[in-house]
Amino acid sequence: MDRFPEDGGMNTKLHAITDSIGRPIRFFITAGQVSDYTGARALVGSLPAADWLLGDRGYDADWFREDLVDRGITPCIPGRKSRDKPVRYDKRRYKRRSRIEIMFGRPKDWRRVATRHDRCPKVFLSAIALAATVLFWL
């Protein structure tokens, strides 16, 4: 899971679940000022069976880690800098997050996505889904 950085004049975050090779499976969009926990909470119920989940620091929450462990998924999420006790994670495995970052960069090659022509979040999410389908699944 990861998020889409702020785009253009509209402030949004795109949260995504990808497969092991970085192809997107699910998307969820939130307002830019909303915590990443909102995206995590929305997507956690639709996680596919997996051994590991790679995520950035924004998803570091005890409830999220516990939920992943309950589902049999090992979290590979670095701890927030404000944590009192550091969290252990597999740094070698975490380097694979570059695949996810590449996945977020490729749809930006589509002008409609990169410039955020669509003001309606549903239409913008549809444009992202269309771009991802063409780029990764066709």
Side-chain angles (χ1 to χ4, degrees):
M1 291 175 61
D2 210 337
R3 66 183 189 284
F4 206 73
E6 297 173 22
D7 271 340
M10 303 294 284
N11 188 6
T12 58
K13 290 181 190 173
L14 181 70
H15 306 268
I17 297 174
T18 67
D19 62 9
S20 61
I21 59 173
R23 295 178 301 182
I25 299 171
R26 302 229 193 314
F27 290 118
F28 185 73
I29 196 166
T30 61
Q33 69 273 16
V34 175
S35 170
D36 289 343
Y37 300 147
T38 305
R41 196 173 308 275
L43 291 171
V44 74
S46 64
L47 286 172
D51 295 328
W52 290 84
L53 182 130
L54 306 179
D56 67 6
R57 292 180 195 275
Y59 297 103
D60 177 34
D62 292 331
W63 67 266
F64 187 53
R65 289 176 183 279
E66 291 168 9
D67 200 359
L68 292 174
V69 171
D70 291 345
R71 295 171 186 270
I73 301 172
T74 305
C76 185
I77 304 169
R80 294 180 314 267
K81 296 191 187 267
S82 62
R83 256 192 193 271
D84 294 333
K85 184 178 177 188
V87 176
R88 293 179 52 111
Y89 67 99
D90 187 341
K91 292 179 182 177
R92 193 185 91 240
R93 187 174 305 272
Y94 187 72
K95 288 182 180 181
R96 291 186 183 175
R97 247 187 94 249
S98 64
R99 294 177 186 171
I100 299 168
E101 296 299 331
I102 291 168
M103 185 276 305
F104 279 110
R106 285 188 64 193
K108 290 182 181 179
D109 291 340
W110 285 40
R111 187 173 143 235
R112 180 179 203 110
V113 174
T115 58
R116 178 81 198 259
H117 281 342
D118 304 305
R119 293 184 109 17
C120 174
K122 287 182 184 179
V123 177
F124 181 56
L125 185 59
S126 298
I128 291 170
L130 178 63
T133 301
V134 170
L135 290 168
F136 296 100
W137 293 101
L138 295 180

PDB file of all heavy atoms in Angstrom, residues 44-65:
ATOM      1  N   VAL A  44      -7.997  -2.402   4.126  1.00  0.00           N
ATOM      2  CA  VAL A  44      -7.548  -3.585   4.864  1.00  0.00           C
ATOM      3  C   VAL A  44      -8.523  -4.751   4.720  1.00  0.00           C
ATOM      4  O   VAL A  44      -8.112  -5.910   4.688  1.00  0.00           O
ATOM      5  CB  VAL A  44      -7.261  -3.254   6.354  1.00  0.00           C
ATOM      6  CG1 VAL A  44      -8.544  -3.058   7.137  1.00  0.00           C
ATOM      7  CG2 VAL A  44      -6.385  -4.322   6.987  1.00  0.00           C
ATOM      8  N   GLY A  45      -9.791  -4.480   4.585  1.00  0.00           N
ATOM      9  CA  GLY A  45     -10.766  -5.550   4.440  1.00  0.00           C
ATOM     10  C   GLY A  45     -10.689  -6.270   3.112  1.00  0.00           C
ATOM     11  O   GLY A  45     -11.141  -7.405   2.985  1.00  0.00           O
ATOM     12  N   SER A  46     -10.107  -5.642   2.110  1.00  0.00           N
ATOM     13  CA  SER A  46     -10.033  -6.250   0.782  1.00  0.00           C
ATOM     14  C   SER A  46      -8.627  -6.731   0.429  1.00  0.00           C
ATOM     15  O   SER A  46      -8.331  -6.949  -0.743  1.00  0.00           O
ATOM     16  CB  SER A  46     -10.519  -5.255  -0.269  1.00  0.00           C
ATOM     17  OG  SER A  46      -9.675  -4.129  -0.314  1.00  0.00           O
ATOM     18  N   LEU A  47      -7.779  -6.903   1.434  1.00  0.00           N
ATOM     19  CA  LEU A  47      -6.430  -7.389   1.161  1.00  0.00           C
ATOM     20  C   LEU A  47      -6.476  -8.831   0.670  1.00  0.00           C
ATOM     21  O   LEU A  47      -7.166  -9.670   1.257  1.00  0.00           O
ATOM     22  CB  LEU A  47      -5.564  -7.323   2.422  1.00  0.00           C
ATOM     23  CG  LEU A  47      -5.098  -5.952   2.865  1.00  0.00           C
ATOM     24  CD1 LEU A  47      -4.412  -6.035   4.222  1.00  0.00           C
ATOM     25  CD2 LEU A  47      -4.158  -5.352   1.842  1.00  0.00           C
ATOM     26  N   PRO A  48      -5.748  -9.141  -0.390  1.00  0.00           N
ATOM     27  CA  PRO A  48      -5.673 -10.537  -0.838  1.00  0.00           C
ATOM     28  C   PRO A  48      -4.765 -11.338   0.095  1.00  0.00           C
ATOM     29  O   PRO A  48      -4.044 -10.772   0.912  1.00  0.00           O
ATOM     30  CB  PRO A  48      -5.062 -10.418  -2.237  1.00  0.00           C
ATOM     31  CG  PRO A  48      -4.282  -9.152  -2.200  1.00  0.00           C
ATOM     32  CD  PRO A  48      -5.008  -8.239  -1.247  1.00  0.00           C
ATOM     33  N   ALA A  49      -4.812 -12.638  -0.049  1.00  0.00           N
ATOM     34  CA  ALA A  49      -3.913 -13.490   0.740  1.00  0.00           C
ATOM     35  C   ALA A  49      -2.475 -13.141   0.365  1.00  0.00           C
ATOM     36  O   ALA A  49      -2.132 -13.065  -0.813  1.00  0.00           O
ATOM     37  CB  ALA A  49      -4.204 -14.950   0.453  1.00  0.00           C
ATOM     38  N   ALA A  50      -1.653 -12.909   1.370  1.00  0.00           N
ATOM     39  CA  ALA A  50      -0.261 -12.522   1.125  1.00  0.00           C
ATOM     40  C   ALA A  50       0.582 -12.899   2.333  1.00  0.00           C
ATOM     41  O   ALA A  50       0.067 -13.079   3.438  1.00  0.00           O
ATOM     42  CB  ALA A  50      -0.165 -11.021   0.872  1.00  0.00           C
ATOM     43  N   ASP A  51       1.873 -13.009   2.103  1.00  0.00           N
ATOM     44  CA  ASP A  51       2.804 -13.280   3.198  1.00  0.00           C
ATOM     45  C   ASP A  51       3.290 -11.979   3.825  1.00  0.00           C
ATOM     46  O   ASP A  51       3.509 -11.913   5.028  1.00  0.00           O
ATOM     47  CB  ASP A  51       4.002 -14.086   2.702  1.00  0.00           C
ATOM     48  CG  ASP A  51       3.615 -15.472   2.219  1.00  0.00           C
ATOM     49  OD1 ASP A  51       2.655 -16.046   2.774  1.00  0.00           O
ATOM     50  OD2 ASP A  51       4.257 -15.967   1.281  1.00  0.00           O
ATOM     51  N   TRP A  52       3.491 -10.944   2.982  1.00  0.00           N
ATOM     52  CA  TRP A  52       4.060  -9.680   3.428  1.00  0.00           C
ATOM     53  C   TRP A  52       3.226  -8.517   2.924  1.00  0.00           C
ATOM     54  O   TRP A  52       2.607  -8.602   1.876  1.00  0.00           O
ATOM     55  CB  TRP A  52       5.475  -9.511   2.879  1.00  0.00           C
ATOM     56  CG  TRP A  52       6.471 -10.426   3.485  1.00  0.00           C
ATOM     57  CD1 TRP A  52       6.717 -11.722   3.114  1.00  0.00           C
ATOM     58  CD2 TRP A  52       7.337 -10.156   4.567  1.00  0.00           C
ATOM     59  NE1 TRP A  52       7.696 -12.252   3.898  1.00  0.00           N
ATOM     60  CE2 TRP A  52       8.098 -11.317   4.805  1.00  0.00           C
ATOM     61  CE3 TRP A  52       7.550  -9.037   5.358  1.00  0.00           C
ATOM     62  CZ2 TRP A  52       9.047 -11.378   5.791  1.00  0.00           C
ATOM     63  CZ3 TRP A  52       8.511  -9.109   6.343  1.00  0.00           C
ATOM     64  CH2 TRP A  52       9.243 -10.272   6.560  1.00  0.00           C
ATOM     65  N   LEU A  53       3.272  -7.406   3.651  1.00  0.00           N
ATOM     66  CA  LEU A  53       2.705  -6.148   3.182  1.00  0.00           C
ATOM     67  C   LEU A  53       3.764  -5.076   3.353  1.00  0.00           C
ATOM     68  O   LEU A  53       4.274  -4.870   4.457  1.00  0.00           O
ATOM     69  CB  LEU A  53       1.453  -5.753   3.965  1.00  0.00           C
ATOM     70  CG  LEU A  53       0.830  -4.455   3.442  1.00  0.00           C
ATOM     71  CD1 LEU A  53      -0.651  -4.653   3.210  1.00  0.00           C
ATOM     72  CD2 LEU A  53       1.077  -3.315   4.382  1.00  0.00           C
ATOM     73  N   LEU A  54       4.122  -4.429   2.254  1.00  0.00           N
ATOM     74  CA  LEU A  54       5.084  -3.329   2.292  1.00  0.00           C
ATOM     75  C   LEU A  54       4.310  -2.021   2.316  1.00  0.00           C
ATOM     76  O   LEU A  54       3.401  -1.825   1.509  1.00  0.00           O
ATOM     77  CB  LEU A  54       5.992  -3.352   1.059  1.00  0.00           C
ATOM     78  CG  LEU A  54       6.734  -4.656   0.766  1.00  0.00           C
ATOM     79  CD1 LEU A  54       7.551  -4.508  -0.492  1.00  0.00           C
ATOM     80  CD2 LEU A  54       7.597  -5.060   1.922  1.00  0.00           C
ATOM     81  N   GLY A  55       4.652  -1.137   3.210  1.00  0.00           N
ATOM     82  CA  GLY A  55       3.990   0.156   3.292  1.00  0.00           C
ATOM     83  C   GLY A  55       4.948   1.210   3.810  1.00  0.00           C
ATOM     84  O   GLY A  55       5.960   0.890   4.429  1.00  0.00           O
ATOM     85  N   ASP A  56       4.631   2.465   3.547  1.00  0.00           N
ATOM     86  CA  ASP A  56       5.520   3.527   4.032  1.00  0.00           C
ATOM     87  C   ASP A  56       5.154   3.923   5.461  1.00  0.00           C
ATOM     88  O   ASP A  56       4.222   3.394   6.053  1.00  0.00           O
ATOM     89  CB  ASP A  56       5.542   4.717   3.081  1.00  0.00           C
ATOM     90  CG  ASP A  56       4.236   5.470   2.990  1.00  0.00           C
ATOM     91  OD1 ASP A  56       3.305   5.154   3.747  1.00  0.00           O
ATOM     92  OD2 ASP A  56       4.153   6.389   2.171  1.00  0.00           O
ATOM     93  N   ARG A  57       5.902   4.850   6.003  1.00  0.00           N
ATOM     94  CA  ARG A  57       5.739   5.252   7.408  1.00  0.00           C
ATOM     95  C   ARG A  57       4.336   5.754   7.745  1.00  0.00           C
ATOM     96  O   ARG A  57       3.906   5.671   8.882  1.00  0.00           O
ATOM     97  CB  ARG A  57       6.725   6.364   7.755  1.00  0.00           C
ATOM     98  CG  ARG A  57       8.144   5.938   7.765  1.00  0.00           C
ATOM     99  CD  ARG A  57       9.044   7.122   8.122  1.00  0.00           C
ATOM    100  NE  ARG A  57      10.417   6.850   7.801  1.00  0.00           N
ATOM    101  CZ  ARG A  57      11.250   6.202   8.600  1.00  0.00           C
ATOM    102  NH1 ARG A  57      10.844   5.766   9.750  1.00  0.00           N
ATOM    103  NH2 ARG A  57      12.485   5.999   8.221  1.00  0.00           N
ATOM    104  N   GLY A  58       3.651   6.278   6.760  1.00  0.00           N
ATOM    105  CA  GLY A  58       2.314   6.810   6.999  1.00  0.00           C
ATOM    106  C   GLY A  58       1.326   5.757   7.471  1.00  0.00           C
ATOM    107  O   GLY A  58       0.307   6.071   8.071  1.00  0.00           O
ATOM    108  N   TYR A  59       1.627   4.499   7.205  1.00  0.00           N
ATOM    109  CA  TYR A  59       0.741   3.407   7.604  1.00  0.00           C
ATOM    110  C   TYR A  59       1.178   2.744   8.898  1.00  0.00           C
ATOM    111  O   TYR A  59       0.658   1.691   9.255  1.00  0.00           O
ATOM    112  CB  TYR A  59       0.660   2.372   6.481  1.00  0.00           C
ATOM    113  CG  TYR A  59       0.055   2.932   5.233  1.00  0.00           C
ATOM    114  CD1 TYR A  59       0.846   3.284   4.150  1.00  0.00           C
ATOM    115  CD2 TYR A  59      -1.309   3.141   5.134  1.00  0.00           C
ATOM    116  CE1 TYR A  59       0.299   3.819   3.007  1.00  0.00           C
ATOM    117  CE2 TYR A  59      -1.874   3.678   4.002  1.00  0.00           C
ATOM    118  CZ  TYR A  59      -1.068   4.013   2.939  1.00  0.00           C
ATOM    119  OH  TYR A  59      -1.616   4.551   1.812  1.00  0.00           O
ATOM    120  N   ASP A  60       2.110   3.328   9.597  1.00  0.00           N
ATOM    121  CA  ASP A  60       2.602   2.756  10.857  1.00  0.00           C
ATOM    122  C   ASP A  60       1.619   3.049  11.987  1.00  0.00           C
ATOM    123  O   ASP A  60       1.598   4.143  12.541  1.00  0.00           O
ATOM    124  CB  ASP A  60       3.980   3.320  11.201  1.00  0.00           C
ATOM    125  CG  ASP A  60       4.498   2.804  12.530  1.00  0.00           C
ATOM    126  OD1 ASP A  60       4.203   1.645  12.857  1.00  0.00           O
ATOM    127  OD2 ASP A  60       5.178   3.567  13.235  1.00  0.00           O
ATOM    128  N   ALA A  61       0.800   2.063  12.288  1.00  0.00           N
ATOM    129  CA  ALA A  61      -0.143   2.158  13.402  1.00  0.00           C
ATOM    130  C   ALA A  61      -0.239   0.780  14.040  1.00  0.00           C
ATOM    131  O   ALA A  61      -0.251  -0.240  13.338  1.00  0.00           O
ATOM    132  CB  ALA A  61      -1.518   2.611  12.918  1.00  0.00           C
ATOM    133  N   ASP A  62      -0.308   0.749  15.355  1.00  0.00           N
ATOM    134  CA  ASP A  62      -0.375  -0.527  16.059  1.00  0.00           C
ATOM    135  C   ASP A  62      -1.607  -1.326  15.645  1.00  0.00           C
ATOM    136  O   ASP A  62      -1.526  -2.535  15.439  1.00  0.00           O
ATOM    137  CB  ASP A  62      -0.365  -0.299  17.576  1.00  0.00           C
ATOM    138  CG  ASP A  62       0.971   0.237  18.059  1.00  0.00           C
ATOM    139  OD1 ASP A  62       1.998  -0.068  17.423  1.00  0.00           O
ATOM    140  OD2 ASP A  62       0.981   0.968  19.070  1.00  0.00           O
ATOM    141  N   TRP A  63      -2.769  -0.667  15.513  1.00  0.00           N
ATOM    142  CA  TRP A  63      -3.987  -1.396  15.134  1.00  0.00           C
ATOM    143  C   TRP A  63      -3.850  -2.016  13.749  1.00  0.00           C
ATOM    144  O   TRP A  63      -4.334  -3.119  13.503  1.00  0.00           O
ATOM    145  CB  TRP A  63      -5.225  -0.486  15.180  1.00  0.00           C
ATOM    146  CG  TRP A  63      -5.234   0.600  14.148  1.00  0.00           C
ATOM    147  CD1 TRP A  63      -4.789   1.886  14.299  1.00  0.00           C
ATOM    148  CD2 TRP A  63      -5.662   0.486  12.784  1.00  0.00           C
ATOM    149  NE1 TRP A  63      -4.926   2.577  13.116  1.00  0.00           N
ATOM    150  CE2 TRP A  63      -5.461   1.750  12.172  1.00  0.00           C
ATOM    151  CE3 TRP A  63      -6.202  -0.538  12.016  1.00  0.00           C
ATOM    152  CZ2 TRP A  63      -5.777   1.999  10.839  1.00  0.00           C
ATOM    153  CZ3 TRP A  63      -6.514  -0.283  10.681  1.00  0.00           C
ATOM    154  CH2 TRP A  63      -6.305   0.969  10.121  1.00  0.00           C
ATOM    155  N   PHE A  64      -3.159  -1.316  12.836  1.00  0.00           N
ATOM    156  CA  PHE A  64      -2.984  -1.825  11.479  1.00  0.00           C
ATOM    157  C   PHE A  64      -2.047  -3.027  11.484  1.00  0.00           C
ATOM    158  O   PHE A  64      -2.315  -4.046  10.843  1.00  0.00           O
ATOM    159  CB  PHE A  64      -2.459  -0.707  10.578  1.00  0.00           C
ATOM    160  CG  PHE A  64      -2.393  -1.074   9.121  1.00  0.00           C
ATOM    161  CD1 PHE A  64      -3.498  -1.570   8.454  1.00  0.00           C
ATOM    162  CD2 PHE A  64      -1.222  -0.897   8.410  1.00  0.00           C
ATOM    163  CE1 PHE A  64      -3.445  -1.901   7.113  1.00  0.00           C
ATOM    164  CE2 PHE A  64      -1.156  -1.216   7.068  1.00  0.00           C
ATOM    165  CZ  PHE A  64      -2.269  -1.726   6.415  1.00  0.00           C
ATOM    166  N   ARG A  65      -0.963  -2.914  12.224  1.00  0.00           N
ATOM    167  CA  ARG A  65      -0.022  -4.033  12.335  1.00  0.00           C
ATOM    168  C   ARG A  65      -0.704  -5.263  12.932  1.00  0.00           C
ATOM    169  O   ARG A  65      -0.528  -6.383  12.454  1.00  0.00           O
ATOM    170  CB  ARG A  65       1.181  -3.645  13.192  1.00  0.00           C
ATOM    171  CG  ARG A  65       2.121  -2.662  12.531  1.00  0.00           C
ATOM    172  CD  ARG A  65       3.233  -2.249  13.487  1.00  0.00           C
ATOM    173  NE  ARG A  65       4.084  -1.268  12.896  1.00  0.00           N
ATOM    174  CZ  ARG A  65       5.075  -1.539  12.042  1.00  0.00           C
ATOM    175  NH1 ARG A  65       5.320  -2.770  11.692  1.00  0.00           N
ATOM    176  NH2 ARG A  65       5.807  -0.568  11.541  1.00  0.00           N
TER     177      ARG A  65
END
